[in-house]
């Protein structure tokens, strides 16, 4: 079974948005083929199946307007919310959780690699690693997607996504 793809969620008269967009069938087929190949070569994160996911907790956001900016993707669907920065009223992660994840990542990198990976990024050198390559961080991230991050997105964009099982993370990187 393949990972969900965002074209599976493009509004087609349903999916919460009430839109009726439709891609040409040849383009849709080409995108589906490319997606299948990408799924075979990429580690995706999903929330699992609907029965395994707890109901999302109520999440409150504070929204801050951005003037003169539009979302590059799906702006017509998300336009009511795309001109804002949304911040959860309460932190999604506690200070102690952040410290625990940081300590686990530091310990893992020290024991397995000795040092963090260094990469050039413009004028600066950054350090970090893929979340999937740091087992204790990946375990925390997997659970957080299912119980906090994906539910927050569902809560924030109900007109675009119906359920946590419809969301996918393609890649995640931990920066030091």
């Amino acid at each position: 079974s393949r990972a969900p793809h965002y074209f599976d969620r493009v509004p087609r008269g349903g999916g919460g948005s009430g839109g009726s967009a439709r891609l040409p069938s040849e383009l849709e087929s080409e995108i589906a083929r490319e997606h299948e190949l990408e799924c075979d070569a990429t580690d995706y994160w999903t929330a699992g199946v609907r029965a395994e996911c707890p109901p999302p907790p109520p999440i409150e956001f504070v929204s801050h307007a951005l003037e003169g900016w539009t979302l590059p993707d799906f702006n017509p669907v998300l336009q009511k919310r795309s001109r804002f920065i949304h911040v959860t009223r309460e932190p999604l992660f506690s200070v102690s959780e952040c410290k625990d994840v940081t300590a686990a990542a530091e310990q893992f990198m020290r024991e397995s690699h000795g040092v963090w990976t260094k990469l050039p990024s413009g004028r600066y050198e950054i350090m970090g690693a893929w979340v999937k390559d740091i087992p204790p961080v990946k375990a925390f991230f997997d659970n957080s997607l299912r119980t906090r991050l994906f539910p927050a997105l569902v809560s924030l964009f109900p007109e675009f996504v119906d359920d946590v099982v419809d969301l996918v993370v393609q890649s995640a990187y931990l920066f030091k």
Side-chain angles (χ1 to χ4, degrees):
S1 100
R2 72 176 176 83
H5 189 267
Y6 70 90
F7 280 109
D8 294 337
R9 302 293 306 143
V10 170
R12 297 187 176 130
S17 74
S20 60
R22 184 95 182 141
L23 295 171
S25 62
E26 290 117 21
L27 179 59
E28 197 169 285
S29 295
E30 181 181 335
I31 290 168
R33 279 192 305 277
E34 287 177 11
H35 177 65
E36 292 293 332
L37 292 173
E38 194 172 306
C39 286
D40 291 341
T42 306
D43 293 324
Y44 282 90
W45 282 281
T46 66
V49 295
R50 212 167 246 103
E52 296 171 351
C53 298
I59 300 171
E60 292 184 42
F61 293 89
V62 177
S63 300
H64 307 278
L66 294 171
E67 299 298 325
W69 184 83
T70 57
L71 188 66
D73 297 321
F74 299 107
N75 192 57
V77 176
L78 299 172
Q79 63 185 340
K80 292 178 186 171
R81 296 189 189 257
S82 70
R83 293 188 181 99
F84 295 89
I85 298 253
H86 306 283
V87 181
T88 57
R89 189 170 298 280
E90 297 296 324
L92 287 177
F93 303 105
S94 71
V95 171
S96 69
E97 286 174 313
C98 294
K99 286 180 179 179
D100 291 347
V101 167
T102 301
E106 290 283 0
Q107 179 180 349
F108 177 81
M109 293 306 285
R110 200 172 38 254
E111 291 174 358
S112 64
H113 301 297
V115 296
W116 285 84
T117 304
K118 294 181 179 181
L119 302 169
S121 179
R123 297 183 305 168
Y124 303 98
E125 185 173 76
I126 58 172
M127 294 189 299
W130 294 106
V131 168
K132 67 184 174 96
D133 295 336
I134 309 172
V137 175
K138 183 181 182 305
F140 177 80
F141 187 70
D142 288 347
N143 186 57
S144 297
L145 283 176
R146 193 173 52 82
T147 61
R148 299 184 212 181
L149 298 170
F150 283 165
L153 291 171
V154 171
S155 174
L156 190 57
F157 298 104
E159 67 279 1
F160 190 68
V161 62
D162 297 324
D163 197 297
V164 295
V165 298
D166 298 322
L167 295 170
V168 173
V169 170
Q170 182 177 357
S171 61
Y173 200 79
L174 179 65
F175 290 93
K176 177 176 168 126

